[in-house]
Amino acid sequence: MDFDLSSEQLALQERYRDFGAGLFTADEAFSADADQRFDRDKWRLCAKEGLLGLNIETQYGGLGLD
């Protein structure tokens, strides 16, 4: 079995890694995690970026990814 990511998956991984790095500093991410909170405006930005529907089928408005 080949568990390596495809070039499409690697590109998506890089895109969302860059998005996350622009959204939070490491300290902000650790603090939010420790406090079990996530800023509503940042949540909306994640939704706009498509992060909330990655594995939802396209017929239901998601990206249909595995």
Side-chain angles (χ1 to χ4, degrees):
M1 250 183 164
D2 182 13
F3 291 105
D4 292 333
L5 296 177
S6 69
S7 58
E8 181 180 288
Q9 290 169 318
L10 288 169
L12 195 61
Q13 181 185 54
E14 183 176 350
R15 173 184 167 187
Y16 287 132
R17 183 184 301 122
D18 292 345
F19 172 76
L23 197 60
F24 285 111
T25 66
D27 288 339
E28 289 173 326
F30 287 125
S31 176
D33 187 49
D35 295 342
Q36 297 182 354
R37 64 176 168 74
F38 196 86
D39 182 74
R40 188 173 298 220
D41 291 331
K42 290 182 182 188
W43 186 257
R44 287 186 179 114
L45 290 172
C46 289
K48 276 186 174 180
E49 191 66 23
L51 282 168
L52 306 184
L54 292 175
N55 62 343
I56 306 298
E57 294 182 35
T58 55
Q59 65 191 24
Y60 300 115
L63 296 179
L65 301 175
D66 55 5

